[in-house]
Amino acid sequence: MALTATESATSVTDSFGSAVALSCRECGARYDLGPVFACIECFGPLEVAYDFGRITRESIARGPNNIWRYKALLPVPADVEDLPNMNPGQTPLVRADRLAAELGLRSLYVKDDSGNPTHSFKDRVVAMAVEAARTFGFTTLSCSSTGNLAGAVGAAAARAGFRSCVFIPAGLEEGKVVMAAVYGGQLVAIDGTYDDVNRFCSELIGDPAGEDWGFVNVNLRPYYAEGSKTLAYEIAEQLGWRVPDQIIIPIASGSQLTKIDKGFQELIKLGLVEDRPYRVFGAQATGCSPVARAWENGHDVIQPVRPDTIAKSLAIGNPADGPYVLDICRRTGGAVEHVSDSEIVDSIRLLARTEGVFAETAGGVTTGVLRKLLADGVLDPEAETVVLNTGDGLKTLNAVSGTGVTATIKPSLGAFKEAGLL
């Protein structure tokens, strides 16, 4: 039987490290740490609040070579690295000199999160949710997913000994479906969009059938979302403890962008990096660009859309954190932009050709937006810039399905020369 929010508040405090409460992002109301995600006063989303002790660069450097080196900044127990988890993180920050030269940038890096255990950034957020689920006594891990999260939950549940049952919209890329199913949990496709799947999961949470279930991106969302902060921590540490001048982040729900900004702000407040301006840019596919459209029109309210894009991992038509993305991009002097499916495919190929990084479609979105913002004079070509690739191109092979062999020849040198391949 899962703990109630009240019971968990009195019995699990030590399991969340420096975390002290859940705080409403709208009205500021505070709640005890528990498996709750919405404010009862205003229905605003809850996030984790902390009381950090002294944290130094040296103490972080003594930690393991994964996200748990930052455990003092996360809602996890002190012995988290000894518990069965996927231990993601410490993915490469690739110095992209060839791509920079082609685009006319002075300094460019690609944060390549395809190197995580299930080949996407979702391993970071699921790692947080696993520890919360363990603390609250849940027996089943679940989620609504556009693909990458389903695989991350399946793998993490298998490692940690949970049952898993995940829900996806029908029609996802085959690679993501197979990867989610191979871990032995239940994978359920729902005839509808991601937003339909998410609504169904919210119904299941309120039903006795879901009583012992931890939905990583619903009732565990405040903890789950904190995992994206580790991208900010790693980027700053890998740059020699500094925040980049400009960063381009894909937008699905918008949570990743908001938490990367939160991570940078925490590092600044703790004195771990210099307090200097940085600009945050959001990237969407044109076929699912409600936040970018709101930005273009100067609106504060996000108008939901029905997704129609090859970038299925970003195909959330009603992004919960969209308004917060707008706030951050405005505060930092950034922007939100979108690119077409053809620009996404072209950008996947460009990144692969110049840097040897095979990105999934979300990485094509961020690279495409990088190109567009540069062409439009929005990005500063002299500023240090980081672009995120959040998943492996092997998961979205259909996007570049026209790519193949250069030629088929007989096994002879003459045939090779005749083909004009020298």
Side-chain angles (χ1 to χ4, degrees):
M1 179 70 68
L3 298 173
T4 67
T6 301
E7 290 170 335
S8 66
T10 57
S11 62
V12 303
T13 304
D14 291 342
S15 296
F16 290 110
S18 299
V20 294
L22 296 178
S23 176
C24 177
R25 293 164 74 178
E26 289 294 320
C27 71
R30 286 207 163 195
Y31 299 86
D32 291 334
L33 295 166
V36 291
F37 59 98
C39 176
I40 62 173
E41 300 292 333
C42 72
F43 304 106
L46 303 181
E47 70 174 352
V48 179
Y50 300 87
D51 182 11
F52 294 125
R54 184 172 181 269
I55 301 170
T56 66
R57 297 177 183 179
E58 292 73 22
S59 65
I60 289 171
R62 288 194 294 270
N65 194 36
N66 54 51
I67 60 172
W68 305 134
R69 69 199 284 113
Y70 310 110
K71 64 183 179 182
L73 295 158
L74 299 168
V76 294
D79 63 347
V80 62
E81 63 264 45
D82 299 324
L83 301 173
N85 203 302
M86 298 300 287
N87 302 323
Q90 288 299 293
T91 55
L93 185 68
V94 179
R95 187 176 178 90
D97 290 338
R98 295 190 67 239
L99 179 58
E102 184 149 332
L103 298 181
L105 274 164
R106 181 185 63 82
S107 177
L108 176 64
Y109 295 86
V110 176
K111 180 58 173 172
D112 184 13
D113 237 25
S114 65
N116 278 312
T118 68
H119 308 288
S120 90
F121 90 95
K122 291 295 187 180
D123 291 314
R124 297 175 182 272
V125 289
V126 171
M128 301 294 131
V130 164
E131 297 312 317
R134 205 191 314 266
T135 297
F136 297 137
F138 290 126
T139 59
T140 298
L141 280 185
S142 187
C143 69
S144 52
S145 173
T146 57
N148 284 325
L149 180 58
V153 167
R159 175 72 60 85
F162 288 91
R163 172 179 176 260
S164 69
C165 181
V166 300
F167 301 92
I168 59 174
L172 287 185
E173 302 96 335
E174 182 181 4
K176 291 179 181 176
V177 172
V178 171
M179 190 168 191
V182 75
Y183 299 109
Q186 292 177 312
L187 178 66
V188 181
I190 290 179
D191 187 13
T193 67
Y194 170 83
D195 299 291
D196 297 322
V197 178
N198 205 35
R199 280 191 291 272
F200 164 78
C201 289
S202 296
E203 289 181 32
L204 183 53
I205 287 174
D207 189 273
E211 185 176 3
D212 294 331
W213 291 36
F215 287 81
V216 301
N217 53 347
V218 187
N219 60 347
L220 296 176
R221 188 174 184 84
Y223 312 95
Y224 158 94
E226 294 293 286
S228 288
K229 296 193 309 180
T230 62
L231 279 161
Y233 304 152
E234 285 181 21
I235 289 168
E237 185 177 7
Q238 289 168 327
L239 286 174
W241 290 108
R242 66 177 183 271
V243 173
D245 298 318
Q246 305 174 141
I247 185 167
I248 301 172
I249 304 167
I251 299 170
S253 72
S255 175
Q256 183 185 67
L257 185 149
T258 67
K259 295 306 180 185
I260 288 175
D261 177 66
K262 182 181 180 182
F264 285 153
Q265 289 296 310
E266 287 174 347
L267 294 179
I268 290 169
K269 289 173 184 174
L270 289 166
L272 293 169
V273 297
E274 180 185 352
D275 184 2
R276 64 188 185 92
Y278 61 90
R279 301 169 74 200
V280 177
F281 297 86
Q284 293 198 291
T286 300
C288 186
S289 53
V291 185
R293 299 298 186 187
W295 177 272
E296 288 176 354
N297 295 319
H299 294 165
D300 296 323
V301 176
I302 308 297
Q303 181 67 41
V305 301
R306 189 168 186 88
D308 182 17
T309 174
I310 61 171
K312 297 188 186 226
S313 62
L314 303 183
I316 297 180
N318 189 17
D321 283 79
Y324 302 110
V325 168
L326 295 174
D327 290 344
I328 289 167
C329 291
R330 287 168 180 154
R331 189 196 81 226
T332 64
V336 186
E337 188 54 271
H338 60 92
V339 287
S340 68
D341 282 1
S342 61
E343 290 173 300
I344 293 167
V345 172
D346 189 49
S347 296
I348 291 172
R349 292 190 170 120
L350 173 65
L351 182 58
R353 174 173 59 80
T354 57
E355 299 299 339
V357 174
F358 184 19
E360 72 156 32
T361 48
V365 170
T366 51
T367 304
V369 165
L370 168 70
R371 300 167 75 182
K372 192 171 185 178
L373 292 173
L374 276 169
D376 292 345
V378 178
L379 279 179
D380 180 357
E382 295 299 312
E384 184 174 68
T385 305
V386 172
V387 62
L388 265 62
N389 172 45
T390 52
D392 196 318
L394 291 173
K395 295 186 175 192
T396 57
L397 288 173
N398 287 348
V400 289
S401 58
T403 305
V405 296
T406 304
T408 301
I409 64 172
K410 298 292 185 181
S412 71
L413 182 58
F416 178 67
K417 291 179 178 179
E418 287 175 10
L421 299 174
L422 289 176

